[in-house]
């Protein structure tokens, strides 16, 4: 069990690794030591950190895995209680480590493959050059990416893993460790204790099993290729003897294994396992098999033409495992895999295989008393439950966008997820952690602005102006719902500076104009790109309006906490708002323009989001209020996607158009609920469901759950004071 610390240990441990791994990509290695249990306290604590993933064992039993997500400036260590787990004699402490050693993903920001471990203050047990290490060759390094955001696929050959290595009984070739650095000098990262509780890990049994058929006996060359996802997606499904319905039902009840028999001509067998829910950690498939069976597992949320299509553009949603003889559990050991169903293909076997168990695994931020909603309308009840399930599935060690495609912490998503999480779960610790992580990545080359994804290697393309302005709104809402004045005072100065940096981009009229040679991705909401109104390279009206809202949020904090700046913040907001209506209001068409016009291109009329942001600003010119309401409430202007309908609904509430909010919810969220989807989709306005984004649309996206706020603040009338 991970435990909280009242004080940081006195570090004696060194970061260690095998020789020669610094320049390798997707490296796996093992480390271990043995110590006498009588030489450490009975309630001893193990501290461990790794770059980038670890799984730690004591006497062959799993203690845990981690670490919590870090950034380019901080790395976290976990602390495990060893009370009641130690023997009086020899105790074997072992760890498996993986480091992508490649920063082209959104899950880790690797510095160098290494692990750091010690028990208590390190007098008896601490990683150093006397530890034993070895590469872990059962994990294939040269493999395809799983997705660009999540890192590499897993390819694990159980035959190459030394038996009983966790107990020092493998007889393998181990070497002494190389000391990489001292505990506090790990490539500029600050070593910090875990700042969130352990995640709740829950397993859910499979709900349906379907035999898809046999698959051709592929050539050795094809089986050696890492193009596993393409093979699963395209290979023919041939007729074969079905596993009887009765046997499948017995398996689903847990009373009988499914037996897969060898096929003629060496063909394989494909099965589909449907869990009827979104999972975010992975699956466990327990089987009994002969040696050398190739087991391919592909993850998805929805079938296409009766099968899983695992290769979509540059995404390859598949892993591969090769069995040793006997009973074993397949599934991701260190990484996260999300979805609702899996397609499993067994290849290269001439003896029966038994499938004993199939479970989906979730790892979620603990929220044991979430808010509940019940009304006389079954649709609203189901909508609340589905939104809440979606948001919780996207809450792990950070807010994440979606379990299936990315599992990434996009800071811009937090402008919606933060307040909905506080409304639906009341757990401010996760919001605070996310804010601190985001701010820890301030980019000195770009005036202290933060990247849109966390962690990030600092690619300028991923700095979104809108995201940096969202920070003011997020901070105010965190404060209103948590009452955590101390943290707000701590975070406020940096957020104040960020908003002020963007304030320096304003022209003489107050409109925010992107800097010359604009290095930023001007992303706000996908609806702009999907409807042919990309804001890329544009001085977008919404950026000026988000600047206004950020200043008003900070002014509220400044006035209440007596920070002495509120008057200036409101003046800056008022100047920008005046400039928007002076320069960007089309008096003839009675609409806001979407961006500042140029000689080359006249700006199109503004979207519903643009007019909603203007309508939400406290400093909006009152004479425009009625026409703004018509623009963001009607259907003449381009709607946002589900994500930033959040602000449109807020503007509707402000304008007493609550019935129109309900109508929009029925129109855009209604089909999702009617389909019986267990979670809310990424898109269902401009594009829809799985078909969105060229077939990469997510069916579980936390930023699309804004109906939570409608039900709490409009129907129930509950708002923070």
């Amino acid at each position: 069990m991970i435990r909280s610390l009242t004080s940081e240990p006195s570090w004696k441990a060194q970061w260690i690794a095998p020789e020669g791994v610094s320049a390798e990509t997707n490296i796996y290695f093992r480390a271990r030591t043995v110590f006498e249990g009588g030489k450490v306290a009975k309630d001893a604590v193990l501290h461990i950190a790794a770059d980038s993933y670890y799984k730690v064992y004591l006497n062959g039993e799993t203690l845990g895995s981690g670490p919590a997500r870090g950034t380019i400036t901080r790395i976290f260590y976990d602390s495990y209680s060893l009370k009641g787990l130690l023997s009086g004699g020899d105790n074997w402490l072992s760890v498996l480590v993986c480091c992508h050693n490649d920063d082209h993903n959104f899950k880790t920001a690797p510095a160098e493959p290494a692990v750091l471990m010690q028990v208590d203050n390190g007098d008896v047990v601490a990683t150093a050059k006397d530890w034993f290490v070895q590469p872990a060759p059962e994990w294939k390094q040269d493999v395809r990416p799983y997705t660009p955001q999540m890192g590499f696929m897993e390819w694990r050959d159980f035959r190459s893993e030394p038996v009983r290595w966790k107990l020092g009984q493998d007889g393998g070739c181990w070497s002494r460790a190389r000391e990489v650095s001292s505990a506090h000098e790990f490539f500029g990262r600050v070593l910090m204790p875990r700042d969130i509780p352990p995640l709740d890990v829950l397993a859910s049994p499979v709900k349906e099993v379907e035999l898809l058929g046999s698959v051709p006996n592929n050539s050795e060359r094809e089986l050696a290729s890492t193009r596993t996802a393409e093979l699963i997606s395209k290979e023919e499904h041939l007729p074969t003897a079905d596993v009887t319905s009765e046997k499948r039902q017995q398996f689903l009840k847990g009373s009988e294994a499914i037996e897969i028999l060898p096929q003629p001509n060496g063909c394989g067998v494909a099965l589909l396992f449907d869990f009827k829910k979104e999972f975010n950690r992975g699956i466990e498939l327990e089987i009994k098999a002969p040696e050398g069976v190739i087991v391919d597992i592909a993850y998805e949320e929805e079938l296409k033409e009766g099968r899983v299509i695992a290769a979509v553009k540059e995404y390859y949603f598949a892993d591969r495992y090769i069995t040793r003889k006997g009973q074993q559990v397949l599934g991701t050991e260190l990484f996260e895999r999300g979805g609702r169903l899996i397609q499993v293909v067994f290849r290269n076997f001439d003896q029966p295989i038994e499938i004993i168990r199939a479970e989906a695994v979730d790892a979620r931020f603990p929220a044991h008393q979430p808010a509940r909603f019940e009304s006389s309308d079954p649709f609203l009840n189901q909508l609340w439950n589905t939104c809440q399930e979606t948001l919780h599935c996207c809450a792990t060690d950070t807010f994440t966008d979606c379990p299936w495609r990315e599992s990434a912490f996009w800071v811009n998503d937090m402008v919606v997820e933060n307040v909905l999480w506080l409304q639906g779960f009341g757990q401010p610790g996760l919001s605070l952690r996310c804010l601190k992580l985001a701010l820890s990545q301030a980019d000195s080359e770009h005036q202290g602005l933060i990247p849109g994804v966390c962690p990030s290697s600092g690619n300028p393309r991923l700095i979104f102006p809108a995201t940096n302005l969202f920070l003011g709104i997020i901070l105010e809402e965190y404060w209103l719902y948590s009452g955590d004045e101390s943290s707000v005072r701590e975070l406020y100065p940096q957020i104040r500076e960020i908003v002020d940096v963007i304030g320096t981009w304003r022209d003489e009229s107050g409109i925010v104009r992107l800097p010359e040679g604009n290095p930023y991705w001007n992303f706000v909401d996908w609806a702009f790109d999907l409807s042919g109104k990309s804001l890329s390279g544009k001085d977008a009206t919404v950026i000026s309006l988000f600047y206004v809202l950020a200043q008003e949020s900070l002014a509220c904090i400044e006035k209440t906490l007596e920070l002495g700046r509120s008057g200036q913040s409101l003046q800056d907001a008022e100047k920008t708002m005046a400039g928007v209506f002076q320069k960007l209001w089309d008096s003839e068409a009675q609409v806001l323009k979407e961006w500042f016009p140029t000689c080359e291109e006249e700006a199109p009329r503004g979207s519903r989001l643009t007019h909603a942001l203007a309508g939400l600003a406290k400093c909006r010119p009152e004479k425009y209020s009625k026409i703004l309401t018509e623009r963001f409430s009607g259907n003449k202007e381009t709607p946002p996607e589900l994500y930033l309908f959040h602000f449109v609904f807020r503007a509707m509430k402000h304008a007493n158009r609550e019935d129109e909010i309900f109508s929009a919810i029925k129109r855009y969220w209604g089909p999702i609920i009617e389909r019986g989807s267990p979670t809310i989709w990424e898109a269902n306005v401009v594009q829809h469901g799985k078909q969105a984004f060229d077939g990469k649309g997510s069916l579980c996206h936390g930023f699309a759950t804004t109906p939570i706020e409608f039900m709490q603040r409009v129907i129930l009338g509950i708002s923070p004071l």
Side-chain angles (χ1 to χ4, degrees):
M1 169 66 74
I2 295 177
R3 60 175 293 178
S4 300
L5 295 179
T6 55
S7 61
E8 186 175 354
S10 176
W11 288 101
K12 295 184 177 67
Q14 301 286 313
W15 288 89
I16 63 167
E19 289 284 354
V21 300
S22 296
E24 295 190 37
T25 301
N26 195 31
I27 180 69
Y28 293 80
F29 70 86
R30 292 183 273 269
R32 72 183 184 194
T33 193
V34 62
F35 64 95
E36 289 185 38
K39 291 186 176 181
V40 300
K42 292 181 179 180
D43 58 351
V45 175
L46 167 70
H47 310 290
I48 177 171
D51 186 348
S52 302
Y53 300 93
Y54 75 81
K55 192 166 188 177
V56 63
Y57 312 88
L58 178 67
N59 296 325
E61 299 296 323
T62 301
L63 272 179
S65 59
R69 195 176 324 217
T71 70
I72 57 174
T73 63
R74 57 186 59 183
I75 192 166
F76 293 91
Y77 66 88
D78 292 321
S79 300
Y80 295 91
S81 172
L82 303 183
K83 186 175 182 180
L85 301 178
L86 298 171
S87 69
D90 285 350
N91 290 267
W92 284 90
L93 186 59
S94 310
V95 64
L96 172 68
V97 178
C98 174
C99 180
H100 288 327
N101 216 18
D102 180 307
D103 61 5
H104 294 101
N105 73 85
F106 297 160
K107 297 287 292 180
T108 64
E112 173 143 339
V115 66
L116 177 80
M117 299 170 65
Q118 76 176 42
V119 174
D120 290 340
N121 285 326
D123 296 326
V124 177
V125 181
T127 45
K129 60 186 177 182
D130 60 344
W131 277 54
F132 287 96
V133 295
Q134 68 173 197
E138 68 270 23
W139 302 89
K140 186 176 178 66
Q141 292 177 241
D142 184 18
V143 294
R144 300 285 290 278
Y146 182 81
T147 72
Q149 296 86 357
M150 297 176 73
F152 296 100
M153 69 177 288
E154 278 195 0
W155 180 309
R156 183 181 186 186
D157 188 341
F158 283 85
R159 298 171 299 179
S160 301
E161 180 178 1
V163 178
R164 299 178 69 81
W165 68 268
K166 302 162 193 168
L167 296 168
Q169 299 174 7
D170 55 293
C173 182
W174 294 73
S175 59
R176 294 291 184 176
R178 174 178 66 92
E179 292 183 351
V180 175
S181 74
S182 64
H184 289 288
E185 296 177 358
F186 192 65
F187 301 94
R189 267 73 166 170
V190 177
L191 182 62
M192 303 179 68
R194 184 185 180 94
D195 54 355
I196 52 169
L199 303 183
D200 285 342
V201 180
L202 302 170
S204 303
V206 64
K207 297 298 185 183
E208 286 185 6
V209 181
E210 180 183 350
L211 182 64
L212 298 176
S214 67
V215 298
N217 182 3
N218 291 283
S219 68
E220 290 186 15
R221 179 179 178 182
E222 193 159 25
L223 292 179
S225 167
T226 62
R227 300 173 71 86
T228 306
E230 291 94 328
L231 180 61
I232 292 173
S233 302
K234 295 178 180 179
E235 65 189 347
E236 187 179 3
H237 289 170
L238 306 169
T240 187
D242 195 1
V243 178
T244 67
S245 174
E246 181 181 348
K247 280 192 175 283
R248 278 182 283 168
Q249 290 304 313
Q250 292 301 316
F251 171 77
L252 294 174
K253 292 177 181 178
S255 59
E256 187 172 334
I258 290 179
E259 187 177 53
I260 306 298
L261 299 176
Q263 302 294 299
N265 303 317
C267 290
V269 174
L271 295 97
L272 184 71
F273 294 80
D274 193 342
F275 297 93
K276 301 294 184 183
K277 69 181 290 289
E278 190 88 16
F279 55 87
N280 69 5
R281 178 64 180 84
I283 59 102
E284 291 186 355
L285 187 67
E286 187 173 359
I287 66 171
K288 185 176 181 180
E291 181 178 326
V293 180
I294 296 172
V295 185
D296 292 337
I297 301 178
Y299 295 81
E300 244 294 6
E301 297 173 308
E302 187 174 270
L303 295 178
K304 298 174 184 176
E305 299 179 0
R307 66 190 297 159
V308 167
I309 303 300
V312 186
K313 302 292 184 180
E314 71 275 26
Y315 293 76
Y316 308 102
F317 301 98
D319 296 312
R320 170 165 286 182
Y321 305 92
I322 303 175
T323 64
R324 62 176 178 269
K325 184 179 180 180
Q327 197 159 317
Q328 55 220 284
V329 177
L330 311 181
T332 52
E333 188 82 356
L334 296 171
F335 307 151
E336 292 86 8
R337 297 288 185 256
R340 298 181 185 177
L341 46 83
I342 59 171
Q343 184 169 312
V344 182
V345 184
F346 296 96
R347 312 181 193 275
N348 193 41
F349 63 102
D350 57 8
Q351 299 175 44
I353 299 168
E354 289 185 13
I355 304 173
I356 300 166
R357 174 175 61 90
E359 291 181 333
V361 182
D362 271 339
R364 303 186 182 191
F365 192 90
H368 301 143
Q369 289 185 311
R372 293 181 297 160
F373 176 95
E374 186 174 351
S375 74
S376 59
D377 187 334
F379 167 74
L380 287 176
N381 297 339
Q382 186 59 44
L383 180 64
W384 174 277
N385 293 335
T386 305
C387 285
Q388 196 169 55
E389 167 66 11
T390 304
L391 192 55
H392 200 193
C393 198
C394 296
T396 58
D397 57 350
T398 62
F399 295 118
T400 60
D401 60 342
C402 57
W404 169 69
R405 191 183 67 230
E406 298 185 15
S407 189
F409 171 30
W410 288 98
V411 185
N412 51 290
D413 292 11
M414 199 178 169
V415 77
V416 177
E417 290 175 325
N418 167 62
V419 68
L420 301 181
W421 176 258
L422 294 169
Q423 290 166 344
F425 293 90
Q427 298 280 335
L430 182 59
S431 296
L432 181 60
R433 175 171 206 266
C434 288
L435 267 172
K436 288 184 175 182
L437 282 182
L439 292 170
S440 77
Q441 297 199 131
D443 191 331
S444 59
E445 294 184 10
H446 295 280
Q447 300 179 279
L449 300 182
I450 64 164
V453 69
C454 184
S456 170
S457 59
N459 185 337
R461 174 178 173 272
L462 294 180
I463 293 180
F464 308 158
T467 298
N468 282 268
L469 293 170
F470 290 166
L471 294 171
I473 300 169
I474 294 167
L475 186 66
E476 181 194 19
E477 291 179 339
Y478 171 78
W479 172 53
L480 288 172
Y481 279 91
S482 72
D484 180 6
E485 182 178 323
S486 174
S487 295
V488 172
R489 287 184 179 276
E490 174 191 347
L491 301 178
Y492 161 80
Q494 186 177 353
I495 294 176
R496 174 74 270 169
E497 289 179 10
I498 287 170
V499 175
D500 285 346
V501 164
I502 296 179
T504 65
W505 300 352
R506 295 182 299 160
D507 64 15
E508 67 283 352
S509 68
I511 295 174
V512 177
R513 310 288 296 272
L514 297 180
E516 288 293 327
N518 169 27
Y520 308 118
W521 181 8
N522 205 11
F523 175 80
V524 175
D525 180 277
W526 281 115
F528 290 104
D529 298 84
L530 298 177
S531 60
K533 294 183 180 180
S534 172
L535 303 182
S536 179
K538 307 291 197 310
D539 295 321
T541 310
V542 289
I543 301 300
S544 289
L545 294 172
F546 277 125
Y547 174 80
V548 170
L549 295 179
Q551 290 285 23
E552 291 186 342
S553 286
L554 292 178
C556 180
I557 294 171
E558 290 158 348
K559 180 178 180 180
T560 309
L561 300 186
E562 299 180 344
L563 297 174
R565 169 68 189 264
S566 62
Q568 182 62 52
S569 298
L570 291 177
Q571 287 179 24
D572 290 341
E574 289 166 0
K575 180 177 180 180
T576 295
M577 181 59 81
V580 165
F581 280 94
Q582 177 189 353
K583 299 287 188 179
L584 297 169
W585 181 255
D586 185 328
S587 56
E588 182 177 345
Q590 292 288 285
V591 295
L592 282 167
K593 299 175 183 178
E594 202 67 271
W595 54 72
F596 199 93
T598 64
C599 297
E600 297 80 19
E601 184 179 15
E602 181 62 29
R605 60 191 294 157
S607 62
R608 292 179 72 178
L609 175 62
T610 303
H611 292 93
L613 297 176
L616 278 171
K618 297 182 181 69
C619 62
R620 69 189 180 282
E622 195 57 38
K623 68 177 183 177
Y624 295 104
S625 290
K626 184 177 179 180
I627 187 62
L628 287 174
T629 300
E630 291 178 8
R631 296 304 179 204
F632 63 68
S633 295
N635 291 314
K636 290 183 178 180
E637 321 309 333
T638 303
E641 257 301 342
L642 300 179
Y643 167 41
L644 288 191
F645 247 113
H646 184 69
F647 288 103
V648 175
F649 288 166
R650 285 188 167 184
M652 287 178 172
K653 179 184 183 299
H654 186 72
N656 299 314
R657 298 290 186 98
E658 289 90 346
D659 288 346
E660 293 185 28
I661 303 176
F662 185 61
S663 295
I665 286 175
K666 290 284 284 187
R667 178 176 180 179
Y668 297 117
W669 280 263
I672 301 173
I673 301 302
E674 290 166 8
R675 280 272 300 270
S677 176
T679 49
I680 302 298
W681 306 343
E682 179 178 15
N684 200 41
V685 180
V686 185
Q687 295 186 348
H688 308 280
K690 187 59 66 178
Q691 288 68 47
F693 308 108
D694 295 324
K696 301 191 296 284
S698 157
L699 300 186
C700 178
H701 228 81
F703 74 7
T705 54
T706 195
I708 286 175
E709 179 165 90
F710 166 72
M711 286 182 273
Q712 186 170 102
R713 297 192 69 170
V714 176
I715 294 180
L716 299 181
I718 300 171
S719 299
L721 298 176

